[in-house]
Amino acid sequence: MSELLLLKKEDCKSCYKCIRECALKSIRFAENRAQIVENECVYCGHCYVVCPQSAKEIRSDTARAKALIASGRPVVVSLAPSFIADFPVSGLAEMRRALTALGFAEVEETARGARIVKSEYERMIASGEHRLIISSCCHSVNLLIQKRYPRALQYLARVDSPMVAHAKSIKARMPGAAVVFIGPCVSKKDEAERCGQVDCVLTFDELTDWLQEAGVPLGESGALDGTEARSRFFPTPGGIIKSMDQQADFTYIPIDGLRRCMDALEEIERGGMENCFVEMNACEGSCIGGPVMHRYHREPITCKTRVDHYGGRSG
């Protein structure tokens, strides 16, 4: 597995900021530069955000996506619902127009997979077989539990992330198709390599650069379309819980931010929690606070408002 977060050696000024900021202490100083310890990293991307020299960069997979299109296979985009907070468009139709101009065969929202996932969480709770459930949508949280909190692993839901659930759905409906996920996350690149269902992952930055390179414009519409789907709330804090039909005898707890997740996992490992569904996201602000979003869109109120208005209340 190739590195996901790369260091531009000539730009690293040995300021130690990434080392100080890393919650997992998975960055070491060696050979006069900061180096990520791959087997300890959960790919939250925080070091990419805080580096004052822009010495960290996310591995680009644009060439891989272009190769998939050139292969002649139909290539379908699974577009993270946080797109509405990153791009100046009114909805999916404008993104579909731009992405099909790049050669993609079809574009669907990952919110379709989120609907599958939230239904599975609801089924688990209704079964009465689980006294404590930790959401499994955030790959960085999943890695955190696997690497640092093994006693909490029993509570991690054995449920696909929306990205994987959606990819499986696409491939079932369109045999032979390839799936490219596009979103604000670094760790999804690692998840795709592990799960084998997603053929390529691009960040919103990679897509923006590709659109500019190809001369494909995006609309500048401020009005959001009227389609509603609660599963579009997934990229916001508490968004998974907001999308679910909740049971009165269960407590639903949203936690975002890697350090807060670590505090919660320590509490979970101590035991004693009953009838709780814990929604965990490594990024502060959930996916709309992801590393690509946070670095270039420091407007958390505007981002959440756009997702809320786009999501609506039904569906």
Side-chain angles (χ1 to χ4, degrees):
M1 185 182 301
S2 58
E3 292 179 329
L4 302 183
L5 285 162
L6 310 173
L7 177 72
K8 293 183 283 187
K9 298 177 184 179
E10 66 277 8
D11 292 333
C12 181
K13 305 302 182 185
S14 305
C15 70
Y16 301 98
K17 186 167 186 180
C18 61
I19 296 174
R20 292 194 302 270
E21 291 272 353
C22 180
L24 294 179
K25 304 304 178 188
S26 61
I27 303 177
R28 307 281 192 271
F29 191 76
E31 300 176 6
N32 294 316
R33 58 190 175 91
Q35 296 187 5
I36 295 170
V37 182
E38 286 278 321
N39 64 352
E40 297 179 9
C41 181
V42 298
Y43 308 115
C44 68
H46 188 61
C47 59
Y48 168 79
V49 174
V50 302
C51 179
Q53 312 298 334
S54 296
K56 306 286 193 308
E57 62 182 354
I58 301 169
R59 187 190 72 200
S60 175
D61 291 312
T62 305
R64 186 173 180 179
K66 290 179 178 179
L68 285 170
I69 293 171
S71 73
R73 294 173 66 186
V75 184
V76 181
V77 170
S78 175
L79 186 63
S82 47
F83 82 88
I84 200 66
D86 193 85
F87 295 99
V89 295
S90 61
L92 185 63
E94 289 176 64
M95 295 300 295
R96 179 179 287 116
R97 177 193 57 76
L99 285 160
T100 53
L102 294 178
F104 290 102
E106 183 54 277
V107 182
E108 296 182 357
E109 291 186 62
T110 318
R112 287 191 177 199
R115 192 177 300 117
I116 296 169
V117 170
K118 75 98 178 177
S119 295
E120 186 60 17
Y121 289 155
E122 290 168 350
R123 185 202 63 76
M124 290 178 67
I125 292 169
S127 74
E129 298 174 0
H130 306 273
R131 66 182 182 86
L132 174 61
I133 300 170
I134 302 173
S135 65
S136 53
C137 295
C138 176
H139 185 61
S140 290
V141 167
N142 298 345
L143 290 175
L144 175 67
I145 295 172
Q146 291 164 17
K147 293 182 177 185
R148 293 291 185 95
Y149 299 95
R151 293 201 305 279
L153 192 58
Q154 61 184 308
Y155 305 117
L156 181 63
R158 303 301 192 265
V159 178
D160 289 333
S161 70
M163 178 185 77
V164 175
H166 189 212
K168 287 181 177 179
S169 171
I170 291 170
K171 291 189 173 184
R173 289 181 281 115
M174 307 176 198
V179 176
V180 174
F181 174 80
I182 304 179
C185 185
V186 178
S187 70
K188 288 299 180 187
K189 290 178 181 279
D190 179 71
E191 183 181 3
E193 293 178 357
R194 291 171 183 263
C195 77
Q197 295 292 329
V198 180
D199 299 275
C200 180
V201 170
L202 302 179
T203 65
F204 287 149
D205 276 2
E206 288 171 88
L207 175 58
T208 298
D209 291 343
W210 188 358
L211 290 170
Q212 291 175 350
E213 171 195 305
V216 177
L218 282 174
E220 293 291 337
S221 172
L224 303 181
D225 71 22
T227 305
E228 295 189 351
R230 282 189 297 164
S231 54
R232 288 173 173 165
F233 292 137
F234 264 56
T236 60
I240 299 172
I241 293 169
K242 192 174 182 179
S243 76
M244 296 168 66
D245 296 327
Q246 299 179 25
Q247 289 196 177
D249 60 344
F250 241 72
T251 301
Y252 297 78
I253 305 168
I255 298 173
D256 61 316
L258 197 57
R259 286 185 169 85
R260 284 194 286 270
C261 286
M262 292 168 71
D263 289 341
L265 287 166
E266 289 173 7
E267 182 179 2
I268 286 170
E269 286 199 329
R270 289 195 294 270
M273 298 182 70
E274 295 285 342
N275 296 337
C276 291
F277 177 87
V278 185
E279 173 187 331
M280 285 196 187
N281 292 286
C283 293
E284 292 185 13
S286 191
C287 300
I288 59 171
V292 175
M293 295 282 292
H294 184 68
R295 186 160 183 170
Y296 299 107
H297 296 270
R298 297 177 186 273
E299 299 175 325
I301 296 173
T302 299
C303 287
K304 187 174 187 305
T305 298
R306 280 181 63 81
V307 173
D308 279 355
H309 287 175
Y310 190 56
R313 295 294 179 271
S314 66

